[in-house]
Structure formats: structure tokens, C-alpha cells
């Protein structure tokens, strides 16, 4: 009979690790060893042969690796670890690395580090597993520490280890360390490694250094689908989402087939640009290649069509989805909200509850937004109460922002202010911005100053806050205060974000600014605009000069309103599209009241549907009416 006497096992060269394992090994010895040393009643010579066979088997690394891979819990992993120590297999680097990897995979980083710290021999896999383990659980400081230890040891980092530390820099947008690691990549000649280069592109992109990301991308020897997706996503996240679509076309031209992740990224880019024709092409590609409309891709397409101005297409995709989760339902509710269809948003919420899906905090943001932009005040107040009373969801600052916007738009500024003052969560720029926007609508200068000062404390480098307060002063005729705000912007070297309007015609995006004369068809555009103005005057249109926030005479104000970017884009749309075609335009800022009135009347006299997407929402103009009911 073979028995194991309980004792303390020490790992050669590192007593601390051995002591850590001693109690575990002793406690488990009686249950572990019988797996390999069975009592036998065979003749003595056969017993000796059996013992020799078992001894040889116990020294086979594959036995322990197989046991580790089949382990389902930390207890089982530690049992195998004990066997490895007992049999002296810890000195086998393949076994030790696999044990390290399994610990890291189970997020047992203290066990992993104890093992790592006691290893006499380490190779590239050892370092990669340890760095990657810390990065994956979000312990970036420890990951960087292990990487520094690797560099100081003189061992060359491999592409896996470098990718992990680059990923850490990306996750915490640490551009300084990212550039240092880039230098290490160049030093060791790994700049042409696709794995490392793709990670660097992703890191620079997430740190919003798009130029460097693109330069690395263009210099890659070969680009796989991961690299393309990273670069397309980088542009989609930046203010140049149109370049994402250009890259997607180039990717397909180079024979790289998109996968579902790449398609979700492209769909997101279409949503940001609001390019309906491109959205249709991407949809055709998805259908042709038989990609299923799962929760992720289907929800992305709902959002894409909604933000391209077609709520009907968004609903069609939504209805075709076989599986919907709370995010899918929330996306559909939000789509109705920013298209001004408040009642449809509430109806969709009721359908969601009937299907057995419970709302989350995002669902209520979508609902409250829909109520705010449709003038559904009482409904909004009721849903805000339901959050906690019925679903035990505690409102956060985003929900309070929706409520301040809801009350502010309705002119209930005192209630909005009281809600802001009673708030226990930290107030952010969105909350104060909602209050400031309400002050702009209702001309409350005193409250606007309070909100603006809070905003300027939070975001002293955001020019939009200065502009909004300046516009409120201008509307009130307080020109000295307007000048003071402009001087403050000059002192802080801040510039007003220019207003742009885009329109897509024949798969091309055309961009206009106020008074723009750079378009190839500018002469025709201004002739069309002059013709429209005459027709609108006959219909009773009078330019609303209250939206010209400059201290100039009335005639100059009319001239300033005449060539706003929205009007130029609409005029071009009338020229470049056939009769009866809907005109869809996108503006980066909020559409002004005069352009809102202009668009309504143009839709009536031309019998065209005009869809305007501004920074806040969609406006659907048809037969002289707007979907927002002028509650915008």
C-alpha cells in the first residue's frame, strides 16, 4: 500500500510560495494521490511494473495540462497545483505557464502572481499571461508594473504582451504611456507587426489622435478585418463619420469582407452622418450576405434608420427582429421621441411591458425625452414617479436633466430650478445646459446667468456655453453684456463652432455654411432661393429678425437671415432632386426659429416633405406643418 505522509512542500528557490501551498497540499493529499496510486493486490513483480508505469505517467506534462483545462473552479485548479508541486512538475515551464494562464482566466490574480513571483524561469508566454491577466480585470497599474519589470529584465517583449499594454493605454486614454510604448515597439522593430499596429491604431483613435491612427493604418503591410474595423470605428467616433463610409467602400474594394462587428460599426457611422442612401446600401449588403438581425445588429439598424430620418424603416427593422431585449425596445422608444412622436413612444413602452420585458434606466431616459419633446408634461411627471415607485430604479442626473428640460420647455422654470436645487446627485453640464436652454426659450435672463455661471465653472473651454448666454443677452437687447461675453471668449482663445448643414444627393454629401458661395451650383442655388423668397412673401412670410443676434439695423438682419445654411441646402435639394422627392438635411447646431418657419412654408408651396435633423431632434415638415407641433 502506497501512502503519502503529510508534510510541508517547499518550491526550490522560493520558500514563500511553498509555504503558501503547504496547508493546501497537506489537506488535499489523502484525496488527490489515490488518483494516481491505487492500492493493488497484484503479484509483487506486476506491482513493481504498475508502479513504474504510474511513475512515468505522473511525469507526463500532458496529464497536468489536461487536468487544468478540465478544471471548473479554483478549488480544482489548486488541487492540480498541489499535484504539480508534489511531483516536481512546477519546474516544467509549459506546465507552469498553463497553470498561470488558468489562474488568470479565472481572475485569481493573487494566486497567479504568487506563482509568477516564484518562477525561476520565465519566457514570453509567462510575461504575456501575467500582463494580460491584470489588464483584463482592469488592474492597469499592476499590468504596467509587470511590463516595466519585463523591460528591465532585458527580455524582448512579444506582440501579445505589447498588445495588452497598448490596450491598457487605450482603455484609460493614457496617450503619454501609449507614445512611450510606441517607442518601445519601434526600438524592437515590431512596427510592422499587424497585431501590434492594429492595437496602436485603436489606442490613438480612442485617445482622439486620428491623424496618427490613420498614418499607422496606411503604413500597415496588410490590413485584416480587425484593422479596418478599428479605423472605421475611429472615424465614426470622431466628427468625421463620413470618412468611415469612405473607408468601408475602400475595404470592400480591396476584397475584404465585412463581418458583423464591422457592419455594426458602419451602421453606427451611417447613423451619425444621417446618410439615407448609404444606409440603404449598407442594408442591402447585410441582406445580400444573409447576416441575421440579432439584437446587436438589429438594434443598431433601428437607430441608423431613425437617425437618417425614416422612422417607418426603423420600425420595419424592429418588427422583423426575432429577439428583442430592453436595449432594442429603448432604442425604438427613443427613435419615436426625437422624431416628435410622443404618443407612439408611450404605446411602444406599453407593448414592451406586455412582452414581459422590464424597463431599465435607459428606457426611462428615452420615455422622458419623448415626453419633453412632445409637450406631454403630465405623462412625463407620471413616468418619473413610476421609476422608483414601480420599478425601484433610482433616477440619476440624466433623468433629472430630462425633467428639467420637460418643465423648462413648458415654462415651469420655478419648478425646474427647485428640482435642480434639491438634487442630491452631482450636477453635470447636461443638467445646467437644459436649464439654460429653457431660459433661452422663455427669455429669463436672471436664471440664465445662474445656469451659465455653473456651466462655465464646469466647462470653461466650451465655447457653446458662452454663445448661448450671449444670445440670451442679445435677445434681451443687453449689447454690453454680449460684448463682455465675446471679450471673455477672446481672452480664453475660444471660437464659435461654425454652423454647417449637409444634404445627401446621389450618394454624395454636399455641405453648406451661412452665405456659402463655394458650391459649384451656387448661382443656381441663389436664384432658387430668391424665387422661393418671393413666393413665401406672397404666402405671408416675414423674416423673424429676433433670431439675428447682432446689434445691426433691420435691413442687415434680414440679409443675415436670407442665406442661412439650412436655406441653401433646401434650395439645392429642390434643384438637384426630382419633383415629389423628400428632402433630408442635417445641421450640426440647433435650427433657428426663422429657418423653422421657412421650412414649413417651403414644404407647403413645393409639396415636398422636408426632414431636418438638428442637434436636438428631427423636424418633419409636410404640407405646412411640423411633427414637433412647434414644441421644439
Amino acid at each position: 500500500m502506497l501512502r503519502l505522509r503529510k508534510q510541508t512542500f517547499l518550491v526550490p528557490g522560493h520558500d514563500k510560495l511553498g509555504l503558501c501551498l503547504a496547508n493546501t497540499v497537506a489537506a488535499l493529499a489523502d484525496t488527490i494521490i489515490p488518483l494516481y496510486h491505487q492500492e493493488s493486490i497484484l503479484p509483487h513483480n506486476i506491482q513493481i511494473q504498475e508502479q513504474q508505469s504510474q511513475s512515468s505517467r505522473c511525469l507526463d506534462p500532458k496529464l497536468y495540462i489536461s487536468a487544468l483545462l478540465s478544471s471548473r473552479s479554483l478549488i480544482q485548479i489548486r488541487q492540480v497545483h498541489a499535484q504539480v508541486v508534489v511531483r516536481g512538475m512546477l519546474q516544467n515551464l509549459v506546465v507552469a505557464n498553463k497553470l498561470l494562464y488558468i489562474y488568470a482566466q479565472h481572475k485569481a490574480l493573487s494566486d497567479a502572481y504568487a506563482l509568477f513571483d516564484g518562477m525561476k524561469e520565465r519566457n514570453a508566454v509567462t510575461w504575456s499571461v501575467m500582463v494580460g491577466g491584470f489588464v483584463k480585470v482592469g488592474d492597469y497599474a499592476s499590468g504596467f508594473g509587470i511590463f516595466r519589470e519585463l523591460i528591465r529584465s532585458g527580455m524582448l517583449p512579444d506582440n501579445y504582451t505589447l498588445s495588452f499594454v497598448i490596450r491598457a493605454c487605450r482603455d484609460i486614454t493614457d496617450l503619454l504611456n501609449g507614445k512611450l510604448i510606441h517607442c518601445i515597439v519601434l526600438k524592437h522593430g515590431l512596427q510592422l507587426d499587424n497585431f501590434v499596429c492594429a492595437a496602436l491604431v485603436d489606442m490613438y483613435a480612442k485617445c482622439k489622435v486620428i491623424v496618427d491612427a490613420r498614418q499607422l493604418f496606411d503604413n500597415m503591410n496588410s490590413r485584416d478585418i480587425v484593422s479596418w474595423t478599428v479605423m472605421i470605428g475611429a472615424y465614426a467616433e470622431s466628427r468625421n463619420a463620413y470618412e468611415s463610409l469612405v473607408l468601408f467602400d475602400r475595404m470592400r474594394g480591396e476584397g475584404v469582407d465585412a463581418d458583423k462587428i464591422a457592419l455594426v460599426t458602419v451602421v453606427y457611422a451611417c447613423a451619425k452622418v444621417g446618410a439615407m442612401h448609404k444606409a440603404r446600401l449598407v442594408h442591402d449588403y447585410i441582406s445580400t450576405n444573409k447576416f441575421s438581425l440579432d439584437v446587436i445588429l438589429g438594434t443598431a439598424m433601428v437607430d441608423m434608420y431613425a437617425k437618417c430620418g425614416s422612422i417607418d424603416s426603423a420600425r420595419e427593422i424592429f418588427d422583423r427582429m426575432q429577439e428583442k431585449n430592453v436595449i432594442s425596445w429603448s432604442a425604438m422608444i427613443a427613435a419615436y421621441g426625437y422624431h416628435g412622436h410622443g404618443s407612439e413612444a408611450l404605446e411602444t413602452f406599453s407593448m414592451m411591458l406586455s412582452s414581459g420585458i422590464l424597463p431599465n434606466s435607459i428606457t426611462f431616459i428615452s420615455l422622458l425625452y419623448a415626453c419633453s419633446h412632445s409637450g406631454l408634461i403630465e405623462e412625463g411627471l407620471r413616468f418619473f414617479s413610476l421609476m422608483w415607485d414601480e420599478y425601484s430604479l433610482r433616477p440619476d442626473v440624466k433623468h433629472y436633466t430630462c425633467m428639467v428640460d420637460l418643465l423648462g420647455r413648458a415654462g415651469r422654470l420655478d419648478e425646474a430650478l427647485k428640482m435642480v436645487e434639491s438634487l442630491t446627485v452631482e450636477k453635470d453640464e447636461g443638467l445646467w445646459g437644459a436649464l439654460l436652454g429653457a431660459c433661452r426659450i422663455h427669455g429669463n435672463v436672471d436664471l440664465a446667468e445662474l445656469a451659465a455661471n455653473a456651466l462655465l465653472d464646469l466647462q470653461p473651454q466650451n465655447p457653446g456655453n458662452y454663445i448661448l448666454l450671449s444670445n440670451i443677452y442679445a435677445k434681451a437687447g443687453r449689447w454690453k453684456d454680449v460684448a463682455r461675453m465675446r471679450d471673455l471668449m477672446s481672452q480664453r482663445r475660444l471660437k464659435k463652432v461654425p454652423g454647417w448643414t449637409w444634404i445627401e444627393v446621389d450618394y454624395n454629401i454636399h455641405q453648406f455654411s451661412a452665405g456659402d458661395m463655394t458650391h459649384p451650383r451656387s448661382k443656381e442655388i441663389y436664384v432658387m432661393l430668391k424665387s422661393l423668397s418671393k413666393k413665401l412673401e406672397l404666402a405671408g412670410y416675414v423674416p423673424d429678425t429676433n433670431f439675428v443676434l447682432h446689434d445691426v439695423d433691420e435691413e442687415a438682419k434680414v440679409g443675415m437671415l436670407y442665406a442661412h445654411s439650412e436655406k441653401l441646402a433646401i434650395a439645392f435639394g429642390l434643384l438637384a432632386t426630382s419633383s415629389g422627392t423628400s428632402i433630408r438635411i442635417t445641421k450640426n447646431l440647433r435650427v433657428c426659429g426663422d429657418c423653422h418657419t421657412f421650412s414649413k412654408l417651403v414644404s407647403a408651396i413645393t409639396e415636398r416633405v422636408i426632414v431636418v435633423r438638428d442637434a436636438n431632434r428631427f423636424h418633419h415638415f409636410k404640407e405646412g406643418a411640423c411633427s414637433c407641433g412647434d414644441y421644439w
Side-chain angles (χ1 to χ4, degrees):
M1 181 182 294
L2 295 171
R3 296 188 183 279
L4 177 69
R5 182 164 53 87
K6 293 181 180 179
Q7 58 181 319
T8 298
F9 297 96
L10 298 180
V11 179
H14 204 282
D15 290 351
K16 182 172 74 174
L17 178 60
L19 288 169
C20 289
L21 295 168
N23 293 333
T24 303
V25 175
L28 297 173
D30 287 339
T31 57
I32 298 169
I33 302 305
L35 295 173
Y36 305 105
H37 296 274
Q38 304 290 339
E39 290 185 335
S40 177
I41 56 173
L42 294 175
H44 181 66
N45 62 332
I46 297 179
Q47 284 188 42
I48 293 172
Q49 292 174 8
E50 182 71 18
Q51 290 167 11
Q52 290 173 343
S53 175
Q54 288 176 354
S55 177
S56 173
R57 182 166 168 258
C58 286
L59 296 175
D60 183 0
K62 293 179 182 177
L63 177 70
Y64 301 98
I65 291 171
S66 176
L68 285 169
L69 292 174
S70 62
S71 296
R72 293 290 176 266
S73 67
L74 273 178
I75 291 175
Q76 292 177 340
I77 297 167
R78 286 167 180 156
Q79 287 176 344
V80 179
H81 190 168
Q83 296 170 29
V84 168
V85 174
V86 169
R87 290 299 164 187
M89 291 301 295
L90 204 59
Q91 307 311 308
N92 185 303
L93 191 56
V94 174
V95 174
N97 279 343
K98 183 59 70 175
L99 181 56
L100 193 69
Y101 171 77
I102 296 297
Y103 272 135
Q105 195 175 48
H106 282 73
K107 299 181 180 179
L109 272 302
S110 56
D111 296 79
Y113 186 74
L115 174 60
F116 172 83
D117 198 32
M119 292 173 68
K120 278 188 171 181
E121 183 184 359
R122 298 167 182 165
N123 63 7
V125 174
T126 315
W127 292 99
S128 178
V129 168
M130 205 64 239
V131 172
F134 280 120
V135 170
K136 285 177 181 177
V137 299
D139 188 353
Y140 301 113
S142 297
F144 286 132
I146 297 291
F147 183 71
R148 279 193 296 271
E149 195 177 335
L150 163 63
I151 298 300
R152 288 167 182 165
S153 73
M155 183 175 288
L156 295 178
D158 67 356
N159 55 0
Y160 284 96
T161 310
L162 283 166
S163 295
F164 278 125
V165 287
I166 294 168
R167 171 183 162 181
C169 295
R170 177 205 67 184
D171 289 348
I172 59 176
T173 58
D174 186 349
L175 184 59
L176 179 61
N177 268 327
K179 287 184 175 180
L180 290 174
I181 293 164
H182 192 175
C183 291
I184 292 171
V185 169
L186 294 172
K187 178 181 178 181
H188 295 293
L190 289 167
Q191 68 272 18
L192 297 180
D193 183 282
N194 276 6
F195 206 51
V196 174
C197 201
L200 283 170
V201 169
D202 194 24
M203 184 273 295
Y204 279 120
K206 290 294 189 298
C207 291
K208 302 189 185 305
V209 189
I210 305 297
V211 174
D212 289 358
R214 182 59 184 266
Q215 186 177 356
L216 278 168
F217 176 80
D218 288 338
N219 288 334
M220 291 177 72
N221 286 333
S222 62
R223 290 175 283 272
D224 60 9
I225 184 60
V226 175
S227 307
W228 283 103
T229 304
V230 164
M231 198 65 239
I232 289 170
Y235 278 118
E237 289 288 347
S238 71
R239 293 183 178 181
N240 194 4
Y242 182 70
E243 188 63 28
S244 295
L245 306 180
V246 173
L247 272 182
F248 178 63
D249 290 340
R250 179 179 156 193
M251 180 187 84
R252 292 174 58 200
E254 292 185 14
V256 180
D257 292 326
D259 62 8
K260 189 165 285 189
I261 297 172
L263 285 170
V264 170
T265 306
V266 173
V267 165
Y268 173 66
C270 285
K272 287 200 76 174
V273 175
M276 177 58 79
H277 289 100
K278 204 69 178 179
R280 298 286 188 204
L281 289 175
V282 172
H283 188 176
D284 289 344
Y285 182 90
I286 290 168
S287 300
T288 302
N289 290 278
K290 294 181 170 56
F291 284 98
S292 61
L293 291 178
D294 61 12
V295 168
I296 296 174
L297 183 57
T299 302
M301 289 186 67
V302 167
D303 186 59
M304 173 188 75
Y305 272 126
K307 288 180 179 174
C308 288
S310 178
I311 193 68
D312 292 336
S313 296
R315 185 56 190 250
E316 183 183 341
I317 294 293
F318 180 78
D319 289 340
R320 284 174 51 196
M321 291 172 63
Q322 295 296 314
E323 181 186 354
K324 304 179 185 76
N325 63 10
V326 65
I327 300 173
S328 313
W329 285 97
S330 299
M332 194 66 241
I333 292 168
Y336 279 126
Y338 49 71
H339 278 273
H341 301 312
S343 57
E344 287 88 343
L346 305 193
E347 183 182 334
T348 304
F349 178 65
S350 296
M351 290 174 61
M352 183 186 84
L353 297 179
S354 299
S355 70
I357 303 290
L358 290 176
N360 63 11
S361 60
I362 296 172
T363 312
F364 278 101
I365 290 173
S366 301
L367 276 171
L368 295 174
Y369 184 94
C371 291
S372 176
H373 284 263
S374 300
L376 303 174
I377 312 302
E378 297 308 317
E379 290 85 345
L381 291 168
R382 181 171 60 85
F383 282 123
F384 187 68
S385 297
L386 278 178
M387 278 189 68
W388 179 252
D389 294 342
E390 294 290 332
Y391 301 101
S392 299
L393 293 170
R394 193 175 297 280
D396 62 24
V397 69
K398 290 185 174 62
H399 300 98
Y400 281 103
T401 298
C402 289
M403 291 306 297
V404 168
D405 188 58
L406 177 91
L407 293 169
R409 286 173 181 273
R412 295 159 69 166
L413 294 175
D414 290 341
E415 293 175 64
L417 178 60
K418 188 179 292 186
M419 182 171 282
V420 170
E421 290 175 339
S422 65
L423 204 58
T424 55
V425 297
E426 186 177 355
K427 303 174 182 69
D428 67 2
E429 59 276 6
L431 183 78
W432 289 111
L435 185 59
L436 184 58
C439 294
R440 178 197 57 78
I441 294 170
H442 299 287
N444 191 321
V445 179
D446 293 336
L447 187 53
E449 288 179 320
L450 172 69
N453 287 330
L455 270 173
L456 296 180
D457 286 340
L458 287 170
Q459 293 183 319
Q461 297 303 311
N462 184 349
N465 299 328
Y466 299 83
I467 295 297
L468 189 50
L469 182 56
S470 176
N471 290 350
I472 293 170
Y473 284 140
K475 194 172 181 180
R478 291 170 54 171
W479 300 110
K480 288 183 179 179
D481 288 319
V482 172
R484 179 171 57 83
M485 297 308 297
R486 289 178 180 169
D487 287 343
L488 195 57
M489 287 182 66
S490 297
Q491 291 169 20
R492 297 181 180 179
R493 297 182 179 180
L494 301 176
K495 292 184 178 180
K496 179 182 177 181
V497 176
W500 297 97
T501 300
W502 296 268
I503 181 170
E504 183 187 21
V505 176
D506 296 331
Y507 308 110
N508 292 313
I509 304 291
H510 300 262
Q511 180 175 289
F512 296 92
S513 61
D516 203 333
M517 298 289 291
T518 61
H519 194 276
R521 299 183 67 177
S522 280
K523 287 185 178 179
E524 295 174 77
I525 291 169
Y526 278 93
V527 169
M528 171 61 77
L529 197 55
K530 187 174 182 179
S531 173
L532 285 173
S533 296
K534 288 180 179 179
K535 291 177 182 178
L536 293 181
E537 284 176 16
L538 293 174
Y541 166 67
V542 177
D544 190 346
T545 55
N546 288 323
F547 291 95
V548 177
L549 304 173
H550 295 275
D551 190 13
V552 294
D553 61 36
E554 200 68 13
E555 186 177 348
K557 288 182 178 182
V558 171
M560 290 177 177
L561 286 174
Y562 179 74
H564 271 195
S565 60
E566 302 97 304
K567 295 175 181 177
L568 295 176
I570 290 171
F572 173 69
L574 292 169
L575 283 171
T577 61
S578 58
S579 178
T581 305
S582 296
I583 296 173
R584 302 174 188 274
I585 66 173
T586 302
K587 183 167 184 181
N588 64 329
L589 304 176
R590 187 177 178 276
V591 65
C592 83
D594 180 67
C595 288
H596 191 273
T597 302
F598 175 89
S599 302
K600 277 201 303 182
L601 293 175
V602 170
S603 75
I605 65 173
T606 62
E607 297 181 347
R608 297 275 199 121
V609 173
I610 299 175
V611 181
V612 179
R613 172 186 170 183
D614 70 9
N616 287 347
R617 54 165 301 153
F618 280 86
H619 305 269
H620 293 255
F621 300 100
K622 184 179 181 181
E623 298 175 356
C626 180
S627 61
C628 69
D630 293 341
Y631 190 82
W632 56 287

